[in-house]
Amino acid sequence: MTQALSKHRHISFTAHYTGYIWYQMGISHPLLATSKGKTLAMIAHPIESWGEKYVGGSMRTTLKERHTMLNDRLRQLIEQHPNLQVLEIAAGLSPRGWWFRQHYPMIDYRELDLPDMANIKQTALKQIDANSPEVLSVDLFTDDFQKAFEVFDPSRPLVVISEGLINYFTKELLQQLIQSIAYYGKDFQSLHYLTDLYPEPVKNKLAKVIWSSSKLLKVMSRSAFSFHFVTPEQVRNFMQQAGFSKVQVVQPSLYFKKDKVELNPEEHLGDLVWMINASL
């Protein structure tokens, strides 16, 4: 039977780039780093280094922040629920599933992506560990998405996690995705959704440059990449309207805070990326 397809199924070149950056950071397996990713990382390196020196941050430092915050929260949830189940959507070449299956073998961790990327990931994981579970392949915007939830036990808690995904959709499609996660996950013992989100870069001194870059990314990735939110309150309201009762917005400026300067968690603190911790 042919899988129903939506028009929102393009693999972004960013999956290769992020996969290689994670490998460079020493947190991934070499088989999850592609030659295409290496080329992209080499091209971006001078710009990234300039940003880190003169602006105080770059795309790769942002990747590290979001990856660290998501992993930290997932570890906390595993400590609270040793029988946790995890579904990572649009998993790409992320090392998260491989790493967590190694360190927490008691959890059921499954990854999901579109067919082409799922095949690439499946091949790499099987070379690393022949017992790696099958990478699921469904389209998030068709009814097939429900099938991904059916492989899990509803009597146990479930975490759905995504990274580098939700800014690629229009606000309407994003609402559809989050509503689907809340609806398909409502019968589980508990449901958590962890994701990163790029807010509008209104507090960043390079806001105009970032906006221009986002337009280029939108064209190159054949997506609807955009910034949808300015304040944490806007994010909470949006997530709650989509079905999640509890929503926490975590900003790196507070999460990695090293000084004693008081910061208002309800303000946009200038970070390029936030983490969203939502639950039912």
Side-chain angles (χ1 to χ4, degrees):
M1 181 177 177
T2 303
Q3 180 182 338
L5 307 179
S6 82
K7 61 181 180 179
H8 312 285
R9 48 188 299 109
H10 305 301
I11 292 177
S12 172
F13 64 93
T14 57
H16 292 274
Y17 172 76
T18 54
Y20 194 80
I21 293 299
W22 285 319
Y23 170 64
Q24 275 191 328
M25 289 179 181
I27 60 174
S28 188
H29 192 283
L31 286 174
L32 296 176
T34 65
S35 57
K36 184 176 182 179
K38 182 178 181 179
T39 300
L40 291 167
M42 289 175 61
I43 292 170
H45 179 73
I47 302 170
E48 297 277 61
S49 298
W50 179 86
E52 288 160 14
K53 184 174 182 180
Y54 295 105
V55 184
S58 67
M59 181 55 68
R60 63 191 177 199
T61 58
T62 302
L63 289 174
K64 186 174 182 179
E65 287 176 343
R66 77 186 197 192
H67 204 72
T68 300
M69 292 190 295
L70 288 167
N71 283 3
D72 286 353
R73 180 56 184 148
L74 184 53
R75 276 192 290 266
Q76 291 170 0
L77 287 170
I78 293 171
E79 290 170 4
Q80 294 170 19
H81 310 283
N83 64 337
L84 195 69
Q85 304 171 111
V86 184
L87 171 63
E88 183 169 4
I89 59 176
L93 294 167
S94 168
R96 182 174 289 112
W98 162 72
W99 192 93
F100 273 89
R101 280 190 293 267
Q102 272 195 319
H103 291 81
Y104 300 95
M106 69 286 193
I107 67 171
D108 183 5
Y109 195 116
R110 302 296 297 270
E111 298 172 76
L112 177 153
D113 214 311
L114 295 170
D116 288 349
M117 181 53 76
N119 288 335
I120 293 171
K121 188 68 170 288
Q122 180 79 60
T123 301
L125 290 176
K126 287 296 183 183
Q127 286 180 269
I128 297 170
D129 178 3
N131 295 318
S132 295
E134 179 186 1
V135 177
L136 304 173
S137 177
V138 300
D139 191 312
L140 301 177
F141 296 99
T142 68
D143 292 339
D144 281 347
F145 188 28
Q146 183 174 1
K147 296 176 183 177
F149 290 79
E150 293 172 353
V151 305
F152 296 102
D153 180 355
S155 69
R156 296 164 57 186
L158 175 68
V159 174
V160 178
I161 188 167
S162 64
E163 183 172 5
L165 173 68
I166 64 178
N167 281 86
Y168 285 93
F169 307 127
T170 64
K171 208 167 184 178
E172 293 72 26
L173 274 177
L174 178 55
Q175 185 176 56
Q176 178 187 332
L177 173 63
I178 297 172
Q179 284 177 334
S180 296
I181 293 171
Y183 181 74
Y184 297 142
K186 64 181 173 47
D187 293 328
F188 283 79
Q189 185 187 86
S190 63
L191 175 70
H192 303 265
Y193 178 41
L194 304 179
T195 186
D196 65 314
L197 177 151
Y198 287 87
E200 289 192 24
V202 291
K203 294 289 185 75
N204 193 287
K205 54 188 174 184
L206 290 180
K208 290 183 179 179
V209 174
I210 296 169
W211 265 106
S212 299
S213 299
S214 74
K215 292 175 183 177
L216 178 61
L217 179 58
K218 181 176 181 177
V219 173
M220 293 179 68
S221 61
R222 293 181 289 162
S223 72
F225 189 93
S226 186
F227 306 106
H228 301 305
F229 307 100
V230 179
T231 67
E233 183 181 19
Q234 290 176 348
V235 177
R236 283 197 300 271
N237 290 340
F238 183 83
M239 298 290 289
Q240 287 168 348
Q241 288 169 8
F244 282 91
S245 53
K246 296 180 181 179
V247 183
Q248 180 186 19
V249 179
V250 183
Q251 302 187 61
S253 289
L254 281 169
Y255 192 85
F256 300 106
K257 193 171 181 292
K258 295 179 180 178
D259 54 44
K260 295 183 179 180
V261 177
E262 291 298 322
L263 299 173
N264 185 353
E266 291 305 312
E267 291 183 0
H268 187 323
L269 300 175
D271 296 299
L272 293 179
V273 69
W274 296 345
M275 181 184 77
I276 313 304
N277 176 23
S279 61
L280 287 180

